[in-house]
């Protein structure tokens, strides 16, 4: 079928900046374990930007290519082995996983042994792609096995979460990655005990997801740290009890607010504040590393600071948890007014994709979401 998709023609290179433009492509129908989805909306996320800026040397992404990995839409057709969804179902596309490996079978599909290939190879594991240019040349179209900067796409059935009745599915796409990353870091990994404190570095989509999740727990002190006062205002609206504009005094300020050190912290920036996020912890504190720093960034920690105080660092991919079921519970919390992700989102017409990418980059908008033409 004929579809409209945003093509990343080039990544950043010494010859010039990245290029993204919309064009008509041909899309094949679904294979046995795949689903054809009419995409209605898709977020713009830090990982899209890492690819555009060619900041992933471990995963050199192919060009030209269709990106987008926070898609939501309506199932149009299903492959012959699909049993979980049917045409007409409204769905969010979560992280892809193989369903067979030891982590998939142990309830940790985010950490699927094929996960990196499924997210960043740009093709199916067998090297194929369902997208073609009108001249018949294949075009990489399996980013996170969804490439949903497109009016239609193909996804694996097992990566889909069904959207509950009464929930606007166009708001739910960002649950597929950034927002559930923050929420899962708190709800699935840190699991704050009642009466504790948590400091969240970064009040973007990941950090605000963590703050909305923290206010669902027994944590009593929820501190948001960011450079932008308007994001901190939003953080307070979403459950932060204290906000701090990032400065040289941040570490001392968090220690003061938490009586010597936080029980938990979340690093949710794209500026690699791991050193700060670990420094604010008190004895036996736990830091969830969930941000979108460049994959090649390193962290410079003192051995004594970790050992002496029994501090722990937990890396968290995509929020961990039992994907894609975690997306369903977040949607049910949203339906009850307890996880108001609509406050993070601004919609853009698909045609304005380059503006949406720029606004995501500058941080002007917490979560730009593209609306596809019907
Ligand atoms: Zn697996
Ligand atoms: Zn993402």
């Amino acid at each position: 079928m004929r579809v409209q998709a945003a093509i990343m023609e080039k990544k950043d290179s010494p010859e010039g900046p990245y290029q993204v433009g919309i064009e008509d492509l041909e899309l094949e129908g679904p294979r046995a374990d795949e689903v054809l989805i009419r995409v209605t909306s898709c977020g713009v996320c830090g990982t899209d930007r890492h690819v555009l800026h060619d900041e992933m040397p471990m995963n050199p992404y192919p060009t030209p290519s269709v990106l987008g990995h926070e898609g939501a839409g309506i199932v149009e057709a299903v492959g012959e082995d699909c049993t979980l969804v049917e045409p007409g179902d409204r769905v969010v596309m979560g992280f892809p996983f193989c369903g067979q490996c030891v982590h998939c079978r142990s309830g940790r599909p985010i950490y699927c042994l094929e996960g990196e290939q499924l997210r960043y190879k740009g093709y199916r594991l067998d090297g194929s792609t369902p997208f073609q240019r009108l001249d018949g040349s294949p075009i990489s179209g399996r980013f996170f096995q969804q490439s949903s900067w497109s009016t239609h796409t193909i996804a694996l059935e097992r990566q889909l979460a069904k959207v509950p009745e009464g929930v606007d599915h166009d708001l739910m796409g960002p649950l597929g990655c950034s927002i559930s990353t923050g929420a899962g870091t708190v709800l699935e990994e840190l699991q704050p005990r009642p009466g504790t404190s948590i400091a969240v570095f970064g009040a973007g989509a990941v950090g605000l997801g963590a703050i909305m999740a923290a206010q669902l727990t027994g944590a009593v002190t929820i501190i948001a740290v960011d450079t932008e006062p308007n994001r901190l205002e939003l953080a307070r609206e979403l459950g932060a009890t204290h906000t701090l504009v990032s400065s040289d005094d941040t570490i001392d300020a968090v220690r003061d607010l938490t009586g010597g050190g936080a029980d938990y912290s979340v690093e949710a920036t794209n500026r690699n504040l791991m050193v700060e996020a670990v420094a604010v912890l008190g004895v036996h504190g736990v830091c969830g590393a969930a941000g979108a720093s460049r994959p090649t960034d390193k962290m410079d920690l003192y051995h004594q600071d970790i050992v002496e105080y029994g501090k722990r660092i937990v890396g968290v991919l995509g929020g961990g948890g039992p994907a894609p079921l975690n997306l369903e519970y977040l949607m049910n919390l949203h339906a009850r007014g307890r996880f108001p992700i609509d406050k993070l989102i601004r919609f853009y017409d698909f045609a304005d994709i380059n503006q949406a990418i720029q606004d995501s980059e500058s941080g002007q908008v917490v979560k730009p979401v593209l609306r596809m033409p019907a």
Side-chain angles (χ1 to χ4, degrees):
M1 69 185 297
R2 186 70 60 91
V3 304
Q4 270 191 337
I7 315 282
M8 171 180 70
E9 205 61 57
K10 290 183 178 146
K11 298 183 278 190
D12 281 352
S13 74
E15 286 80 59
Y18 70 81
Q19 279 178 21
V20 172
I22 295 176
E23 88 180 54
D24 286 357
L25 296 179
E26 279 293 324
L27 180 65
E28 284 172 7
R31 292 189 174 177
D33 61 346
E34 294 176 343
V35 170
L36 170 67
I37 294 167
R38 177 164 75 78
V39 182
T40 56
S41 65
C42 183
V44 175
C45 175
T47 312
D48 299 306
R49 299 198 318 265
H50 283 316
V51 174
L52 294 169
H53 296 321
D54 201 20
E55 289 172 339
M56 305 181 69
M58 310 88 127
N59 313 99
Y61 205 80
T63 51
S65 171
V66 182
L67 300 182
H69 65 288
E70 292 187 342
I74 299 168
V75 173
E76 284 214 335
V78 302
E80 61 203 29
D81 293 346
C82 293
T83 54
L84 302 172
V85 296
E86 53 187 42
D89 282 349
R90 300 177 308 135
V91 293
V92 171
M93 293 170 247
F95 271 50
F97 54 95
C98 79
Q100 316 267 323
C101 73
V102 61
H103 296 295
C104 284
R105 286 184 289 127
S106 312
R108 296 186 297 270
I110 293 265
Y111 296 104
C112 172
L113 293 175
E114 306 277 17
E116 202 171 323
Q117 291 286 301
L118 289 166
R119 293 190 299 278
Y120 303 129
K121 184 184 168 92
Y123 297 93
R124 294 186 184 96
L125 293 180
D126 68 5
S128 64
T129 171
F131 286 96
Q132 288 177 5
R133 283 210 145 113
L134 301 187
D135 66 7
S137 56
I139 187 162
S140 153
R142 302 305 289 150
F143 190 46
F144 282 65
Q145 299 299 305
Q146 60 169 287
S147 289
S148 40
W149 285 352
S150 175
T151 54
H152 291 78
T153 197
I154 299 288
L156 292 167
E157 183 194 38
R158 60 181 163 270
Q159 79 189 103
L160 303 178
K162 277 200 226 185
V163 179
E165 278 297 309
V167 170
D168 177 0
H169 58 276
D170 284 336
L171 291 168
M172 298 296 120
L175 281 182
C177 180
S178 48
I179 296 176
S180 62
T181 293
T185 299
V186 172
L187 297 175
E188 299 285 350
E189 300 285 352
L190 301 184
Q191 301 186 354
R193 293 183 309 281
T196 53
S197 57
I198 181 166
V200 178
F201 286 78
V206 177
L208 292 172
I211 286 164
M212 287 191 288
Q215 58 90 35
L216 295 168
T217 73
V220 292
T221 303
I222 303 172
I223 303 166
V225 184
D226 199 283
T227 51
E228 296 292 325
N230 57 336
R231 287 172 178 250
L232 290 174
E233 206 177 302
L234 185 54
R236 198 174 273 271
E237 200 182 322
L238 293 172
T241 57
H242 302 79
T243 57
L244 295 171
V245 177
S246 194
S247 75
D248 292 345
D249 302 327
T250 299
I251 294 168
D252 287 340
V254 173
R255 286 191 181 138
D256 286 347
L257 288 170
T258 54
D263 298 299
Y264 307 94
S265 65
V266 178
E267 205 287 337
T269 77
N270 53 16
R271 301 188 300 126
N272 188 11
L273 297 185
M274 281 303 298
V275 170
E276 290 80 354
V278 171
V280 299
L281 291 174
V283 173
H284 222 232
V286 192
C287 171
S293 299
R294 280 171 308 181
T296 48
D297 279 357
K298 295 182 176 175
M299 34 184 123
D300 195 11
L301 301 170
Y302 290 106
H303 183 266
Q304 167 165 326
D305 192 36
I306 304 294
V307 174
E308 194 90 356
Y309 303 106
K311 294 183 181 181
R312 286 166 290 165
I313 300 171
V314 184
V316 190
L317 176 67
L325 291 180
N326 53 338
L327 308 186
E328 294 182 9
Y329 71 63
L330 292 174
M331 289 192 274
N332 283 316
L333 285 163
H334 173 81
R336 283 156 182 72
R338 299 174 64 196
F339 198 75
I341 71 171
D342 46 298
K343 298 212 162 106
L344 278 54
I345 288 172
R346 183 194 292 175
F347 285 109
Y348 292 73
D349 288 341
F350 190 31
D352 298 328
I353 182 165
N354 280 298
Q355 187 65 50
I357 295 168
Q358 273 175 35
D359 290 353
S360 164
E361 184 99 57
S362 71
Q364 248 180 35
V365 176
V366 174
K367 177 50 67 180
V369 173
L370 303 164
R371 269 195 205 275
M372 307 307 167

